Amino acid sequence: MSAADTTPPALRTVEEQLGDVLAAVRPLAAATVALEEAAGRTLRAPLRAALDIPVFDNSAMDGFAVRFADVAAATGDAPAVLRVVADLPAGTSDDPRLGAGEAARIMTGSPVPADADAIVPFEDTAGGLADSLHTARVLRAPARPGVFVRRAGDDVHAGDILLEEGTVLGPLQIAAATAAGVTEAFVSARPRVAIVSTGSELAPAGTPLRRGQIPESNGVLLAGLAAAAGAEVVARLSVDDEGAALRDAVSAARAASVDAVVFSGGVSAGAFEVVRAELSGAMTFSRIAMQPGKPQGFGTLPTPAGAALLFGLPGNPVSAAVSFEVFVRPALLALQGRRAIHRPILQLPAGAPWRTPEGRRHYLPAVVDTDRDGSWTVRPATAGGSGSHLAGGLGRARALAVVPAEVVEVRTGDPVAVMLLEGWDA
């Protein structure tokens, strides 16, 4: 065998690996559900308003509905004196007629009478609220007709696209849809995901540890990340390196027709890599030009309902977290038809120096600090740098600093690409 035959294959780029992942994604089925059941789901068709917003012309202020011509010349020295002929609280259906020199007392949100074309706030009258049921003495004229009148449809007209396809329905979106009279939405199914942690060294959290054992934390980590990406975690298992338990887990996932299985551990080049040993036919195992997360596995598994995506992530917690962000999260969002499957990237100055691995893109768990002047800087989440075993630093991380492969050192003040994570704060 020549020396060339023993040369390890070249590292794949992140983009090549992610391209293979996304090429295997087939968007999930969608269904119409009640709006109150759609939280966290992704729209698979544009959501159109059923009502105008506002629904009707209404007052933006507590005061008097007036005819602009009656108050256009009002000043403190020459007040416009109007007779109050109606009282309009919020929720009223009244539409009183207003003749010359007449006004209606009106509260915020109340329908504006058809004869009125401006609102005079109590603050611009002599008596204010205390003297408002019989006569209004206007001291300051509105600037123009229409002042403080919220016109029907100023925001949205019935039939307008309120939310685009691919939008995730959070509290703000559901509130907007409700205000527009919408009661249901056509949304994607949630990806059904199984999480399988591998390693004979893993012990359930809280149990006494014998020599060589560590608490199993990747399952909690990956299940939480999957749920935050809109998935339904249907199984979370920990298996040893012997193989039988992994085969059982895969069989159960296939029978349950899950949409994805995320393995942690067992994908590297060691002697007891159970995922590689058991799934080498279904998955391709690659070395990626990234730190952490160089060993990766990906493939598909036929199921009764189609195919499940198989992700093999490294077992070290930081590696697993970074790998999920880079490969698994975009796939889960693409399954749901999300418009944006990548987190936004900010450019921030480094608040501290650190070294990076040569030839591999660096994803560093990081903290975003707010300086006294309100500006932001980024620094490593741990003093130990980027070690993939530094699980404690994940608790402090609110972002990933992403450093190109050709950079070997970040200096204080250097611009850094920063990916903000779920629940970040500065």
Side-chain angles (χ1 to χ4, degrees), residues 2 49 61 85-86 129 147 214 221 251 270 287 296 335 341 354 389 397 410 413 416:
S2 68
M61 300 290 286
V85 298
L129 175 63
V147 168
I214 60 173
L221 167 69
S251 295
R287 299 161 67 243
Q296 295 287 328
L335 283 169
I341 62 171
W354 69 86
H389 63 294
V410 174
V416 178

Side-chain angles (χ1 to χ4, degrees), residues 376-389:
W376 291 352
T377 57
V378 63
R379 60 179 171 84
T382 70
S386 61
S388 58
H389 63 294

Side-chain angles (χ1 to χ4, degrees), residues 330-391:
L332 294 181
L333 299 187
L335 283 169
Q336 298 167 76
R338 292 277 183 94
R339 295 181 68 190
I341 62 171
H342 300 293
R343 295 193 188 276
I345 300 292
L346 304 179
Q347 292 289 329
L348 298 178
W354 69 86
R355 294 195 61 80
T356 67
E358 186 174 2
R360 288 191 281 167
R361 186 180 300 168
H362 193 202
Y363 293 87
L364 178 72
V367 173
V368 176
D369 293 317
T370 303
D371 296 334
R372 289 185 177 182
D373 63 359
S375 61
W376 291 352
T377 57
V378 63
R379 60 179 171 84
T382 70
S386 61
S388 58
H389 63 294
L390 299 174

Side-chain angles (χ1 to χ4, degrees), residues 250-258 303-304:
V250 171
S251 295
R254 178 189 288 114
S257 290
V258 300
T303 72

Side-chain angles (χ1 to χ4, degrees), residues 180-208:
V182 176
T183 59
E184 58 187 24
F186 187 63
V187 294
S188 177
R190 295 183 186 276
R192 303 177 71 252
V193 176
I195 306 295
V196 182
S197 303
T198 73
S200 297
E201 75 278 15
L202 303 179
T207 61

Side-chain angles (χ1 to χ4, degrees), residues 225-267:
L225 292 174
E232 177 189 357
V233 178
V234 297
R236 181 164 68 85
L237 306 171
S238 178
V239 302
D240 60 28
D241 292 324
E242 300 303 316
L246 180 69
R247 291 192 294 272
D248 289 344
V250 171
S251 295
R254 178 189 288 114
S257 290
V258 300
D259 301 301
V261 184
V262 183
F263 302 97
S264 63
V267 300

Side-chain angles (χ1 to χ4, degrees), residues 91-148:
T92 185
S93 61
D94 292 347
D95 185 7
R97 297 300 305 270
L98 299 182
E102 293 181 336
R105 188 172 78 158
I106 193 167
M107 301 301 147
T108 301
S110 302
V112 174
D115 292 334
D117 58 1
I119 303 296
V120 174
F122 286 134
E123 294 87 342
D124 291 342
T125 66
L129 175 63
D131 183 20
S132 58
L133 287 176
H134 304 292
T135 301
R137 296 172 62 83
V138 179
L139 305 177
R140 282 178 290 276
R144 61 191 176 281
V147 168
F148 298 128

